[in-house]
Amino acid sequence: DSSAECLFPQTFIVRQSSKSRTLAISVRLPEGKGPSVEHYLIEEHGGSMCLETSRNRFPNIPSLVAHYCRCW
């Protein structure tokens, strides 16, 4: 699950997704790390939160964001 590790630099926003009752996170990636902006759905599974591409589970959105931000 390394593709979902250390994703978020300093600039991101948690927002309402175009998908009903779903949140998304939009991330501005550092120069040279891929497209300038990536978008990930935030999913809820049994009361925990995760990115759509990750098995990492968190009790809430601030914990999810803190986990990915600490890599930068």
Side-chain angles (χ1 to χ4, degrees):
D1 189 310
S2 62
S3 64
E5 292 301 319
C6 300
L7 288 176
F8 305 163
Q10 301 291 327
T11 308
F12 61 88
I13 186 168
V14 176
R15 61 180 177 77
Q16 182 64 45
S17 170
S18 57
K19 191 173 172 181
S20 177
R21 300 181 67 211
T22 304
L23 293 175
I25 189 161
S26 296
V27 182
R28 179 172 298 283
L29 299 175
E31 195 170 317
K33 295 275 187 174
S36 60
V37 177
E38 288 278 333
H39 306 280
Y40 301 92
L41 291 179
I42 299 173
E43 298 180 339
E44 183 177 0
H45 294 280
S48 62
M49 311 301 283
C50 67
L51 295 182
E52 65 183 322
T53 59
S54 178
R55 291 186 202 110
N56 294 326
R57 301 282 193 263
F58 304 93
N60 52 47
I61 301 237
S63 296
L64 180 148
V65 170
H67 170 79
Y68 292 109
C69 283
R70 75 170 179 239
C71 300
W72 297 93

mmCIF file of all heavy atoms in Angstrom, residues 4 6 16 20 25 28-30 33 46 48 50 60 67:
data_model
loop_
_atom_site.group_PDB
_atom_site.id
_atom_site.type_symbol
_atom_site.label_atom_id
_atom_site.label_comp_id
_atom_site.label_asym_id
_atom_site.label_seq_id
_atom_site.Cartn_x
_atom_site.Cartn_y
_atom_site.Cartn_z
ATOM 1 N N ALA A 4 -0.198 5.030 -1.150
ATOM 2 C CA ALA A 4 -0.971 5.940 -0.318
ATOM 3 C C ALA A 4 -0.161 6.447 0.877
ATOM 4 O O ALA A 4 -0.711 7.078 1.758
ATOM 5 C CB ALA A 4 -2.239 5.247 0.170
ATOM 6 N N CYS A 6 2.680 8.867 2.660
ATOM 7 C CA CYS A 6 3.376 10.159 2.527
ATOM 8 C C CYS A 6 2.864 10.984 1.360
ATOM 9 O O CYS A 6 3.644 11.513 0.571
ATOM 10 C CB CYS A 6 4.879 9.925 2.392
ATOM 11 S SG CYS A 6 5.585 9.092 3.799
ATOM 12 N N GLN A 16 -16.404 18.430 -0.046
ATOM 13 C CA GLN A 16 -17.504 17.564 -0.450
ATOM 14 C C GLN A 16 -17.193 17.030 -1.842
ATOM 15 O O GLN A 16 -16.806 17.782 -2.725
ATOM 16 C CB GLN A 16 -18.819 18.346 -0.469
ATOM 17 C CG GLN A 16 -20.023 17.526 -0.828
ATOM 18 C CD GLN A 16 -20.312 16.445 0.192
ATOM 19 O OE1 GLN A 16 -20.279 16.685 1.389
ATOM 20 N NE2 GLN A 16 -20.583 15.248 -0.271
ATOM 21 N N SER A 20 -22.423 11.687 -3.986
ATOM 22 C CA SER A 20 -23.321 11.953 -2.871
ATOM 23 C C SER A 20 -22.801 11.400 -1.540
ATOM 24 O O SER A 20 -22.318 10.275 -1.476
ATOM 25 C CB SER A 20 -24.689 11.342 -3.186
ATOM 26 O OG SER A 20 -25.565 11.524 -2.111
ATOM 27 N N ILE A 25 -10.380 14.543 -0.728
ATOM 28 C CA ILE A 25 -9.258 15.402 -0.394
ATOM 29 C C ILE A 25 -8.523 15.705 -1.691
ATOM 30 O O ILE A 25 -8.257 14.806 -2.487
ATOM 31 C CB ILE A 25 -8.354 14.785 0.685
ATOM 32 C CG1 ILE A 25 -7.332 15.810 1.171
ATOM 33 C CG2 ILE A 25 -7.699 13.512 0.227
ATOM 34 C CD1 ILE A 25 -6.721 15.483 2.508
ATOM 35 N N ARG A 28 -2.232 19.346 -3.517
ATOM 36 C CA ARG A 28 -1.264 19.926 -4.451
ATOM 37 C C ARG A 28 0.062 19.242 -4.180
ATOM 38 O O ARG A 28 0.624 19.347 -3.099
ATOM 39 C CB ARG A 28 -1.123 21.422 -4.272
ATOM 40 C CG ARG A 28 -0.086 22.003 -5.245
ATOM 41 C CD ARG A 28 -0.037 23.502 -5.237
ATOM 42 N NE ARG A 28 -1.261 24.137 -5.644
ATOM 43 C CZ ARG A 28 -1.702 24.252 -6.905
ATOM 44 N NH1 ARG A 28 -1.004 23.743 -7.893
ATOM 45 N NH2 ARG A 28 -2.823 24.868 -7.181
ATOM 46 N N LEU A 29 0.543 18.510 -5.167
ATOM 47 C CA LEU A 29 1.791 17.763 -5.021
ATOM 48 C C LEU A 29 2.992 18.660 -5.267
ATOM 49 O O LEU A 29 2.905 19.614 -6.032
ATOM 50 C CB LEU A 29 1.811 16.590 -6.003
ATOM 51 C CG LEU A 29 0.698 15.561 -5.820
ATOM 52 C CD1 LEU A 29 0.765 14.525 -6.933
ATOM 53 C CD2 LEU A 29 0.792 14.897 -4.462
ATOM 54 N N PRO A 30 4.121 18.337 -4.631
ATOM 55 C CA PRO A 30 5.342 19.105 -4.883
ATOM 56 C C PRO A 30 5.756 18.962 -6.355
ATOM 57 O O PRO A 30 5.451 17.950 -6.990
ATOM 58 C CB PRO A 30 6.390 18.448 -3.986
ATOM 59 C CG PRO A 30 5.629 17.676 -2.976
ATOM 60 C CD PRO A 30 4.330 17.298 -3.628
ATOM 61 N N LYS A 33 6.549 15.573 -8.553
ATOM 62 C CA LYS A 33 5.983 14.391 -7.896
ATOM 63 C C LYS A 33 4.736 13.875 -8.593
ATOM 64 O O LYS A 33 3.950 13.160 -8.004
ATOM 65 C CB LYS A 33 5.639 14.711 -6.431
ATOM 66 C CG LYS A 33 6.811 15.027 -5.577
ATOM 67 C CD LYS A 33 7.419 13.764 -5.039
ATOM 68 C CE LYS A 33 8.497 14.114 -4.035
ATOM 69 N NZ LYS A 33 9.033 12.967 -3.384
ATOM 70 N N GLY A 46 -17.098 1.002 8.756
ATOM 71 C CA GLY A 46 -17.329 0.600 10.139
ATOM 72 C C GLY A 46 -16.896 1.627 11.163
ATOM 73 O O GLY A 46 -16.333 1.284 12.188
ATOM 74 N N SER A 48 -14.576 3.933 10.782
ATOM 75 C CA SER A 48 -13.224 4.458 10.575
ATOM 76 C C SER A 48 -13.121 5.045 9.175
ATOM 77 O O SER A 48 -13.905 4.734 8.296
ATOM 78 C CB SER A 48 -12.174 3.369 10.798
ATOM 79 O OG SER A 48 -12.338 2.326 9.873
ATOM 80 N N CYS A 50 -10.729 6.163 5.696
ATOM 81 C CA CYS A 50 -9.535 5.812 4.923
ATOM 82 C C CYS A 50 -9.633 6.454 3.548
ATOM 83 O O CYS A 50 -10.705 6.870 3.113
ATOM 84 C CB CYS A 50 -9.383 4.302 4.797
ATOM 85 S SG CYS A 50 -10.649 3.509 3.807
ATOM 86 N N ASN A 60 -10.931 9.361 12.564
ATOM 87 C CA ASN A 60 -11.571 10.591 12.085
ATOM 88 C C ASN A 60 -10.710 11.244 11.000
ATOM 89 O O ASN A 60 -9.576 10.820 10.757
ATOM 90 C CB ASN A 60 -11.823 11.559 13.247
ATOM 91 C CG ASN A 60 -10.563 11.789 14.060
ATOM 92 O OD1 ASN A 60 -9.485 12.041 13.522
ATOM 93 N ND2 ASN A 60 -10.689 11.672 15.380
ATOM 94 N N HIS A 67 -1.761 11.816 9.672
ATOM 95 C CA HIS A 67 -0.912 10.688 9.290
ATOM 96 C C HIS A 67 -0.166 10.965 7.991
ATOM 97 O O HIS A 67 1.042 10.789 7.903
ATOM 98 C CB HIS A 67 -1.751 9.424 9.137
ATOM 99 C CG HIS A 67 -0.983 8.295 8.513
ATOM 100 N ND1 HIS A 67 -0.097 7.512 9.226
ATOM 101 C CD2 HIS A 67 -0.951 7.843 7.245
ATOM 102 C CE1 HIS A 67 0.442 6.613 8.405
ATOM 103 N NE2 HIS A 67 -0.063 6.782 7.196
#
